[in-house]
Amino acid sequence: MQLHFSPSMRSITISSNNGFIDLMKIKVAARHISYRTLFHTILILAFLLPFVFILTAVVTLEGVNKCSTFGTLIGPGCLGRRLGPRLLGRVDDSGQKLVRDFYKILNEVKSGEVPAGLKLPDSFDQLVSDMKNNQYDAKTFAFLLRGMMEKFERDIRESKFAELMNKHIAASSIPKGIHCLSLRLTDEYSSNAHARKQLPPPELLPLLSDNSYHHFILSTDNILAASVVVTSTVQSSLRPEKIVFHVITDKKTYAGMHSWFALNPAYPAIVEVKGIHQFDWLTRENVPVLEAVENQNGIRNYYHGNHVAGANLSDTTPRTFASKLMARSPKYISLLNHLRIYIPELFPNLDKVVFLDDDVVIQRDLSPLWDIDLEGKVNGAVETCRGEDEWVMSKRFRNYFNFSHPLIAKNLDPNECAWAYGMNIFDLRAWRKTDIKETYHSWLRENLNSNLTMWKLGTLPPALIAFKGHVHPIDPSWHMLGLGYQNKTNIESVKKAAVIHYNGQSKPWLEIGFEHLRPFWTKFVNYSNDFVRNCHILES
């Protein structure tokens, strides 16, 4: 390292010992230099010179040793070549070139076809082993990764569809314990006079049409679910002695349902059990459309057939597939499910009733519902377009209807707010002045004639049309929905709701029910009952 002063003292040059490299040149102003300035300059040089010397030595050594300097300490080597250019304002683009080459390979692999003979590893460990043994190049390695990811995605997708199909089958089936309960109670009806006693007793028959009482209507073939609805309503009521329950079931379940409430009276409430076959008004002439729904082979195959055969699962998402499966639940062609549209004719002496689904639990006194002024409307219901939850509480007409169908597009507004079935206040006096039933039948017929292309989902879509203009919104706290859909339902909100509704596939009496939501239902099951214990309906 050498230091040279020009004769005029206007510049100072620092060069290497061999004289070939000028490391630094400092120009000095032409005017006289003060001793103070010279002192500061020499002081700075004293700090810089040792570092410049070390840097020069490192660069020289790397040229001799082929970039091995400090390689074992801080990286792969070439400290000077990595550090020097940065200090001198130059950037080594070898790393950038490597990245560019990598992206180029990825783009080629993305647009290319996975080689037909390329054997895909089954695991990451196998991939590493194959790489070591076969010395794959970067492009082959990228193809392997792409092939493995695509295979795993296909496997996951197929598993998801299988899970949804199994869940649909579970939701559509009758659990062994509930089937056992129905059979044992039916047998009891034939052998035990107490199980056949009249409901209600003859002296209480006039109360079945007394409008000073609070009349609830429940339509179901699930005895255990019916018992929970009635029990929870009575236990939550401030005046249970004013409650009258009208339980409607089908012919095959009638004996078992009657036995249950005959042997387990809901005192002091009054319970009436009737089978569909006991209503004189329910004739084929009065319900022609529903007869067609139940008996037409094409419709029955749609709801009971193989839901996967012929379906192009590659063009649908798991969520869409799940929605289609739920829309094909066999319950949607059951007369019990459509029965609510005939309430004014089935109960001609009643003025106001509350209709309940069999998958609800009552947690608060419901008598104030009879005091709600429906302002001349027929149906008091909770609207389901006011919440953020896209599964349940953000539903509008566009969620239920096919607006590409000309009749739907012509007659309905896709942004109109939907409302909930499952807990409804019906003003039967106002209802009897309308053509709601006829409108319901008319649109059911149109959908049948259009091969179910106007809507797919059960009884709510035709009801949304039939009750159009006849719905009075009630406070959402009366009816909380989605407990059969939402695994993350807010528990505090559940506790506050008057009626909680397990609408969806995950019913609380099924194994697929959500464990943290089931206790709100099971606490109203009488597990000490002999029939419940003998059928092994156990508290979970």
Side-chain angles (χ1 to χ4, degrees), residues 121 126 140 160 165 202 254 290 318 338 383 426 431 439 447:
Q126 186 181 340
T140 304
K160 185 63 178 177
M165 192 64 219
Y254 170 75
L290 295 182
H338 292 268
E383 291 183 316
F426 290 130
W431 191 337
T439 303
N447 196 33

Side-chain angles (χ1 to χ4, degrees), residues 329-397:
S329 172
K331 72 177 183 178
Y332 293 133
I333 60 172
S334 166
L335 182 56
L336 281 174
N337 204 44
H338 292 268
L339 203 65
R340 67 196 87 189
I341 202 68
Y342 307 118
I343 289 176
E345 288 80 13
L346 300 182
F347 300 95
N349 298 318
L350 296 182
D351 295 337
K352 200 172 189 178
V353 301
V354 168
F355 181 87
L356 297 173
D357 273 352
D358 65 358
D359 53 355
V360 304
V361 173
I362 313 305
Q363 303 187 125
R364 203 165 72 217
D365 178 39
L366 297 186
S367 59
L369 292 175
W370 274 263
D371 299 327
I372 294 177
D373 183 6
L374 298 183
E375 300 177 1
K377 303 294 185 181
V378 172
N379 180 4
V382 168
E383 291 183 316
T384 56
C385 67
R386 308 297 182 190
E388 297 179 356
D389 165 39
E390 57 182 323
W391 269 109
V392 179
M393 296 304 292
S394 59
K395 299 292 189 182
R396 297 182 181 272
F397 274 30

